[in-house]
Amino acid sequence: MAVANNKSESTKDADLTKQIEELRSDIASITELLAKRGTEDVINLQERARGVAKSAVDKAQDKLTDLSEDAGRAEARMMLEIRKKPLAAVGLAAGVGFLAALLVRK
């Protein structure tokens, strides 16, 4: 009877060991899948971030171009007004200079 009981226990131990190995294998597979999925998610996020950054850079460059063009037009208008009314331009410049000197002095 003791021999039969030992065989039964060793069979249970073998089954338990087999189940533990299967669980380890399953856990390793799940871990590998999660790691792969995490890597894919990181890559996707990086690609989206690059796209957003490129879009922001493109928009900033467009705005800079627009501002540069606006500044050029404003300069041209100012030069035209100075040519039309040179004395007024000199007087305005002198007035601004005088006010700036007063502000700096205080």
Side-chain angles (χ1 to χ4, degrees):
M1 184 83 155
V3 174
N5 199 11
N6 284 341
K7 281 187 177 181
S8 174
E9 285 181 22
S10 65
T11 304
K12 287 180 184 178
D13 288 344
D15 287 343
L16 188 57
T17 303
K18 182 179 177 186
Q19 288 177 355
I20 290 172
E21 288 302 317
E22 288 175 0
L23 285 172
R24 284 183 181 157
S25 175
D26 289 346
I27 290 171
S29 296
I30 290 170
T31 303
E32 185 178 321
L33 282 172
L34 288 174
K36 184 178 178 184
R37 177 63 191 258
T39 302
E40 289 172 356
D41 288 347
V42 167
I43 290 170
N44 289 338
L45 286 173
Q46 287 174 338
E47 288 174 359
R48 283 196 306 196
R50 283 189 194 105
V52 168
K54 184 176 179 345
S55 175
V57 166
D58 290 344
K59 287 180 182 178
Q61 286 176 338
D62 290 344
K63 289 291 182 186
L64 181 62
T65 300
D66 291 345
L67 288 173
S68 177
E69 290 171 357
D70 289 347
R73 285 191 289 271
E75 180 184 8
R77 283 193 304 265
M78 182 179 66
M79 293 300 289
L80 183 62
E81 288 300 315
I82 290 172
R83 286 190 183 118
K84 285 181 182 177
K85 303 173 187 173
L87 292 177
V90 170
L92 181 64
V96 169
F98 179 73
L99 289 175
L102 286 177
L103 290 174
V104 171
R105 202 169 110 196
K106 289 185 179 183

